[in-house]
Amino acid sequence: SIPSIVAVVGRNRRYRFVNEAFLRWVGMPHDRVIGHTVRDVLGRADYLRVSPWIVRVLAGETVQFEREYAANGAARIFAGSYVPLYAEDGSVDGFIALLADVSQQRQEAVRLLQLSQLDSLTGLLNRGGLMGVLEQKLREGAGPAMALLYIDLDRFKPVNDTHGHLVGDEVLKEFANRLRSRLRPTDTLARPGGDEFIVVLYGIR
C-alpha cells in the first residue's frame, strides 16, 4: 500500500511481484504483469533505456538513478534503485526495483535555489548568484576575455524620498529591463543590491 513503486524481477527479467502503485503506474492488471518480461510490460523504448541498469544490477551492483516520465500530460521525476536479490548460494537471483516520485521535492529545490540566487525585485542574479557564475566562468578560462561593468544609479535616493519606494522599485525594474535589452544572451546581468548593477561581458578583446 506504500506510494512508492515496488517490483521484484527474476534473473530471467520476468516480474515475480509488483505492488498496487506499480500496476497504477503501468496501467495494467496484475495478470498482465506477473510472469511477463520487463520488455513486455514497459515496452521496447523504455526497456532499452533501463536495460543497462538491469545488466549492472544482475552483476551484483546496486544501481541508483533518476528518470523523467510523462504522467497525465506532465513530466514527473522518479528516483529509482535497483537492488540485487541473492539466492541461498550467494548468486544473484534477480533484483528489487524501487521508484519514488520526487517531482515536488525537485521543484522545491529549484525554487529555493532560485530564491537564493535571484533578486526578487528584478529577477536578475543577486550577489550570490553572480559569484557562482563568475567562479564557473573563471574555471572555464573565460577570465582574460571578460569585462566587468559596475553601474551605480546617480540621484536615485531622491526618487525614493520624493515619490516613495514603490515608484523607486518600478524605476529599478525598468532600468534592469533596459540593461537586459542591450545585452547579448550570453552576457550576465546582476543586481547585488540597492541601486547597483553589474554587467559581465564575455569574449571581449
Side-chain angles (χ1 to χ4, degrees):
S1 62
I2 63 173
S4 296
I5 294 166
V6 182
V8 178
V9 182
R11 188 167 187 84
N12 59 3
R13 305 193 182 194
R14 294 182 180 274
Y15 287 99
R16 295 178 180 171
F17 166 85
V18 295
N19 68 344
E20 289 297 323
F22 182 97
L23 296 177
R24 289 193 299 270
W25 178 56
V26 297
M28 291 183 178
H30 191 265
D31 58 3
R32 286 278 308 280
V33 176
I34 300 302
H36 294 270
T37 65
V38 176
R39 177 169 179 159
D40 291 339
V41 175
L42 298 185
R44 180 178 181 275
D46 207 16
Y47 173 74
L48 290 176
R49 282 192 286 268
V50 302
S51 187
W53 298 330
I54 294 178
V55 171
R56 288 165 56 189
V57 71
L58 291 179
E61 178 185 352
T62 296
V63 181
Q64 295 182 320
F65 57 90
E66 283 195 4
R67 283 285 315 276
E68 187 174 291
Y69 291 96
N72 299 322
R76 309 294 296 176
I77 300 173
F78 285 84
S81 298
Y82 287 175
V83 183
L85 189 63
Y86 291 96
E88 290 185 5
D89 62 2
S91 63
V92 178
D93 189 39
F95 65 94
I96 301 170
L98 304 168
L99 280 175
D101 189 342
V102 294
S103 306
Q104 191 170 358
Q105 293 94 314
R106 294 296 177 269
Q107 290 168 359
E108 180 65 8
V110 169
R111 188 185 72 84
L112 292 174
L113 180 62
Q114 290 176 337
L115 286 176
S116 69
Q117 295 187 343
L118 296 181
D119 170 44
S120 59
L121 178 64
T122 61
L124 303 179
L125 292 173
N126 60 19
R127 188 182 302 274
L130 173 66
M131 294 305 297
V133 170
L134 289 178
E135 288 170 1
Q136 177 66 30
K137 291 295 183 180
L138 291 173
R139 282 196 298 269
E140 294 172 355
M146 190 166 69
L148 188 144
L149 289 66
Y150 180 88
I151 302 169
D152 179 79
L153 297 186
D154 292 335
R155 299 181 299 278
F156 179 71
K157 186 175 183 298
V159 174
N160 279 334
D161 293 343
T162 304
H163 302 287
H165 287 281
L166 289 178
V167 173
D169 287 349
E170 290 302 315
V171 170
L172 291 174
K173 287 191 285 187
E174 176 62 22
F175 185 71
N177 290 334
R178 292 188 185 193
L179 276 179
R180 189 187 284 116
S181 70
R182 296 296 188 270
L183 298 177
R184 301 167 297 179
T186 54
D187 296 327
T188 296
L189 176 59
R191 178 185 172 231
D195 59 354
E196 302 169 350
F197 293 81
I198 289 178
V199 177
V200 186
L201 306 174
Y202 307 104
I204 300 299
R205 296 185 180 274

